[in-house]
Amino acid sequence: MTKFKPLLIALVLVLSLSVALVGCSSNTAQPTPAPAANSLTGSATAVGSSALQPLAEKAAEMFMAKNKDARVQVQGGGSGTGLTQVAQGGCDIGNSDVFAAEKLPADQAGTLVDHKVCVVGFATVVNPEVKVDNLTGQQLIDIFTGKIKNWKEVGGQDLSIVILNRPASSGTRATFKKYALNGAEEAAGQALTEESSGAIKKALTDTKGSISYLALSYVDSAVKTLKYDGVEPTVANITSGKYPIWSYEHMYTKGEAKGVAKAFIEYMMSSDFTSTITQMGYIPNSDMKVSRDK
Amino acid sequence: MKNNTKKIDKYYALKHEYSGRTVVTIFGIMLILITLTMVFFLISKGSATFFQNHISLKEFLFSTEWMPGKDEAQGGPAVGALIFIIGSILISGFALLISTPFSVALAIFMTQISPAFGKKLLQPVIEIFVGIPSVVYGWIGLSVLVPFVRHQFGGLGFSLLAGSLVLSVMIFPTITSVAADALSIIPNDYKEASYALGATRWHTIRRIIFPTALPGILTGVVLGLARAFGEALAVQMVIGNTIRIPGTILDSTVNLTSIITMDMGNTAMGTTWNNALWSMALLLLIISFIFIFIIHRIGRKGSASS
């Protein structure tokens, strides 16, 4: 017996390693299709956008309370990760703040099916000491492209403007650039960049004269929101189409959704979940009176 | 009878010698395999920028134009990484400038001047510093250092200076402990010979002990530099991440690790943008290889001279 001990240990090691590996990969495995319509079994993984993550996690929790045998796992990682993973079959649902075609090469984006689960609005936010309440689209562009450098040029006090940006790859930044700045390229090498919306909020409250943008779900009394062309960034103005800075939150599946993934996405878009969407600062599709397709 | 003893010996050897050796060997081989696969992975991912996206090495290393999201119609994505490389060099260089005098002085104090105090109090304190997670350094930097720099020196606070200060605190335990090790192994004969010639303690430290321990101290400095180069989180939280070469030490700037952590999750794999980030990771690996190479050279020189 002793003779085999090293072999045995090696065997145990290899076995435990392979179990660990299998354990990891099973999270991302395709869901087993539900055997019967009534009892939903299997699992689905949703990966991607950190902006959608809190809502998706809440939805998963409520979904699993209803369907005891189904498992939905939600992970962050960023929109790019979500889209790459779902296109490569690494997860069932890829969460994204932007349309897949904006991140992925056309051949990969074409294989994905888009599910717009809700809408999220964005506000221009400034440090509370800034004495400006409204900016026109052109003023906003001039600020972010570095033409306007002081708040007094737009009717505020004599204070230099500090731009706080999200990284160039961020979905929030892409949305803001597209709808608020009309696609204008920001001046290089002027803005501070913070990795997350939370960090933006902290830097914004600490830095005098700072300006940035946040999803409405992050906005609270610590920051001051600005009107855009005289329109308040409120849910009512977004749904009626008066306020343009908003985007869809997408859940992408490779091909048509199946099994648990399908049920989960349907649940998120169902009327059962609408009140939770509103509660968490997002806007349900059903409220929208306007729509976009790119 | 004789045969039997031999048999027992064989079993004994199997049980006590070979089993342990097998386990250790397996772990060793596994570690080497992991290292090799990681290096291979980084090389294959990092070289895609040059072979698949046809960005020239010269452009990647020496261009300051970082426009990875630009459409191909407008001149294609530009992924010059020079700004990030310079940022990394400046931040870790300043951190080293701040940290080295403190660390070496501390190492001399705790080994030569007051060894008892050093062993009992300073050693544990330094070990605690090593154990503090980098996010804590970053958070303290963001909450204390950034406002401090803003109020004392002006500017926004998010700056090269803040990043270097945070890093200098993070690398001082590395430099100090390696330097202290180098200083404490110097034979007592050297010291006694120096004292016998009438040298004072300070003279002995300066002329005998410090030069003898210099290779070890330099190893500590290079290790500190390697740590500084690779640190991501704490630095990213305080340098402001403005994509430009800083004009002054109070300007915000960006480095290799920050841009990697900020953009990696948000870019899709296989795009030029994502590949460029992998190339930067590969560059960091190559830089750390160079540091390791330097450390080995110093070590060899040190052992040759003594």
Side-chain angles (χ1 to χ4, degrees), chain A residues 131-151:
Chain A
K131 292 189 179 65
V132 171
D133 296 311
N134 177 45
L135 285 174
T136 65
Q138 192 53 47
Q139 283 172 330
L140 208 55
I141 292 171
D142 287 349
I143 286 175
F144 275 88
T145 52
K147 276 187 206 130
I148 295 179
K149 290 184 174 0
N150 196 306
W151 284 111

Side-chain angles (χ1 to χ4, degrees), chain A residues 4-284:
Chain A
F4 298 109
K5 211 170 174 186
L7 241 160
L8 210 79
I9 293 175
L11 203 74
V12 167
L13 267 174
V14 169
L15 270 177
S16 56
L17 200 75
S18 54
V19 166
L21 285 176
V22 168
C24 289
S25 61
S26 70
N27 286 342
T28 52
Q30 287 295 316
T32 38
N38 294 342
S39 68
L40 194 64
T41 53
S43 67
T45 316
V47 178
S49 161
S50 46
L52 184 55
Q53 199 183 354
L55 186 70
E57 275 169 356
K58 183 80 191 160
E61 197 183 292
M62 291 166 69
F63 178 76
M64 285 188 284
K66 277 186 134 187
N67 302 282
K68 298 276 183 230
D69 294 325
R71 287 212 45 79
V72 176
Q73 215 190 5
V74 179
Q75 294 167 11
S79 300
T81 307
L83 289 169
T84 315
Q85 287 291 316
V86 73
Q88 293 173 348
C91 64
D92 307 306
I93 301 170
N95 298 340
S96 172
D97 304 332
V98 295
F99 285 92
E102 289 176 36
K103 290 258 184 203
L104 292 178
D107 56 321
Q108 281 184 52
T111 65
L112 300 180
V113 176
D114 187 6
H115 308 268
K116 300 182 184 111
V117 289
C118 65
V119 167
V120 62
F122 297 89
T124 315
V125 287
V126 292
N127 181 283
E129 285 175 34
V130 172
K131 292 189 179 65
V132 171
D133 296 311
N134 177 45
L135 285 174
T136 65
Q138 192 53 47
Q139 283 172 330
L140 208 55
I141 292 171
D142 287 349
I143 286 175
F144 275 88
T145 52
K147 276 187 206 130
I148 295 179
K149 290 184 174 0
N150 196 306
W151 284 111
K152 70 182 176 194
E153 294 172 59
V154 287
Q157 67 267 56
D158 183 8
L159 184 66
S160 25
I161 297 174
V162 180
I163 304 167
L164 298 176
N165 250 337
R166 294 288 306 283
S169 55
S170 142
T172 305
R173 173 156 162 185
T175 306
F176 191 77
K177 183 176 161 187
K178 193 169 169 189
Y179 299 114
L181 303 180
N182 224 344
E185 199 66 57
E186 289 106 331
Q190 290 193 354
L192 297 177
T193 315
E194 295 292 338
E195 205 213 347
S196 64
S197 294
I200 286 276
K201 219 160 97 177
K202 162 116 177 99
L204 197 73
T205 48
D206 287 352
T207 311
K208 273 187 191 149
S210 53
I211 182 169
S212 188
Y213 38 84
L214 282 174
L216 287 180
S217 45
Y218 278 97
V219 170
D220 61 21
S221 54
V223 297
K224 179 177 172 183
T225 59
L226 294 188
K227 285 182 216 159
Y228 178 78
D229 274 333
V231 185
E232 290 262 13
T234 58
V235 172
N237 285 335
I238 290 170
T239 54
S240 63
K242 276 187 207 148
Y243 183 84
I245 316 172
W246 55 269
S247 73
Y248 290 109
E249 288 294 344
H250 308 262
M251 282 192 166
Y252 279 97
T253 53
K254 196 179 172 81
E256 285 301 330
K258 298 185 285 279
V260 177
K262 180 171 192 258
F264 177 63
I265 293 173
E266 277 170 2
Y267 175 74
M268 274 200 84
M269 297 166 77
S270 72
S271 52
D272 293 357
F273 195 62
T274 316
S275 60
T276 316
I277 292 181
T278 316
Q279 249 174 44
M280 296 191 69
Y282 302 81
I283 304 165

Side-chain angles (χ1 to χ4, degrees), chain A residues 2-3 6 9-10 13 77-81 84 103-104 162 167-170 189-195 202 206-207, chain B residues 11 14-15 22-23 26 139 142 150 156 158 236 240-244 252 261-263 265-269 271 273:
Chain A
T2 27
K3 203 173 169 184
I9 293 175
L13 267 174
S79 300
T81 307
T84 315
K103 290 258 184 203
L104 292 178
V162 180
S169 55
S170 142
Q190 290 193 354
L192 297 177
T193 315
E194 295 292 338
E195 205 213 347
K202 162 116 177 99
D206 287 352
T207 311
Chain B
Y11 275 132
L14 253 180
K15 192 175 171 190
T22 314
V23 171
I26 288 173
W139 190 242
L142 185 60
R150 183 163 52 219
L156 296 169
F158 293 99
Q236 188 224 316
N241 306 309
T242 306
I243 301 177
R244 65 166 170 203
S252 56
T261 49
M262 283 196 305
D263 276 350
N266 282 324
T267 50
M269 257 183 215
T271 55
W273 194 334

